[in-house]
Amino acid sequence: TIRSNVSYPISFLEFILKVFILKQEIFGSDTVGAQFGIFMMATNPQDTYEKLWVSDFFHSFPHIDFSFKIVNSTFDPNNDSYKQALGFWVLVPVAVCCFLWLVFLLYFIFQCCHQRRKPKGHSSCQRICTVLLILIGAALVGYGFYENENAHQGLNDVKHSRDDMN
């Protein structure tokens, strides 16, 4: 086997999943992760699974496809009409956000057009907040570039290790 000196950090989701598996091994809970909606496939016929109230709440919504026809609500991720029904409910919050954005945009345009022109000095608090937001944004962009390079290097290491195995 080929071993590399590079250690790869696990993702947050993998970490949480490992913690819940460890909790199941220690405490023997059959519903590990149920409080977060994480359910594992049952390996024994005796294993049970608890439905969350959240899943019942969302499943009670009518399943409507993009042509506004009610479709079968049986869970079937391979069915196109079922995927459309899920996509429909994903698009509802997006449409609400777009509508609110449009309302705010029109409101602020109206406020800018009908405001008297008075020279106002900028407060020091406004300047400090603006500079802080710019610095935080620049730091996040820099961190994103750093982590992108880190992930790229990790993928290259995996690729080279795979090529060395062949």
Side-chain angles (χ1 to χ4, degrees), residues 106-118:
L106 293 175
Y107 172 76
F108 287 122
I109 288 174
F110 179 78
Q111 288 296 322
C112 286
C113 292
H114 294 306
Q115 201 175 35
R116 288 189 216 163
R117 304 285 182 215
K118 289 192 242 179

Side-chain angles (χ1 to χ4, degrees), residues 116-137:
R116 288 189 216 163
R117 304 285 182 215
K118 289 192 242 179
K120 291 184 179 180
H122 293 288
S123 68
S124 61
C125 179
Q126 184 180 10
R127 288 183 183 154
I128 290 172
C129 289
T130 303
V131 169
L132 283 176
L133 286 174
I134 290 171
L135 288 175
I136 289 171

Side-chain angles (χ1 to χ4, degrees), residues 9-164:
I10 61 174
S11 70
F12 181 71
L13 185 60
E14 289 174 2
F15 173 74
I16 295 296
L17 194 56
K18 287 183 180 188
V19 167
F20 286 138
I21 290 171
L22 184 62
K23 178 183 170 190
Q24 181 183 20
E25 290 173 358
I26 292 172
F27 297 111
S29 172
D30 287 338
T31 59
V32 163
Q35 59 270 32
F36 295 103
I38 300 172
F39 295 105
M40 298 183 189
M41 183 181 275
T43 55
N44 295 334
Q46 294 84 16
D47 289 346
T48 60
Y49 121 165
E50 293 179 22
K51 283 175 60 176
L52 291 177
W53 66 269
V54 175
S55 64
D56 288 333
F57 175 73
F58 285 120
H59 197 71
S60 67
F61 289 176
H63 288 69
I64 302 171
D65 63 358
F66 292 140
S67 60
F68 297 103
K69 294 179 183 172
I70 295 180
V71 297
N72 189 2
S73 64
T74 304
F75 178 75
D76 185 11
N78 297 324
N79 188 354
D80 287 336
S81 61
Y82 187 80
K83 288 179 189 177
Q84 283 185 9
L86 292 179
F88 178 81
W89 287 111
V90 167
L91 290 177
V92 168
V94 172
V96 169
C97 287
C98 289
F99 175 73
L100 288 176
W101 176 79
L102 185 63
V103 167
F104 284 132
L105 180 71
L106 293 175
Y107 172 76
F108 287 122
I109 288 174
F110 179 78
Q111 288 296 322
C112 286
C113 292
H114 294 306
Q115 201 175 35
R116 288 189 216 163
R117 304 285 182 215
K118 289 192 242 179
K120 291 184 179 180
H122 293 288
S123 68
S124 61
C125 179
Q126 184 180 10
R127 288 183 183 154
I128 290 172
C129 289
T130 303
V131 169
L132 283 176
L133 286 174
I134 290 171
L135 288 175
I136 289 171
L140 289 173
V141 168
Y143 181 73
F145 281 133
Y146 170 75
E147 286 300 320
N148 185 28
E149 181 64 30
N150 201 5
H152 177 70
Q153 184 63 38
L155 286 174
N156 281 339
D157 289 345
V158 168
K159 179 182 157 192
H160 292 307
S161 297
R162 183 200 57 184
D163 291 341
D164 289 343

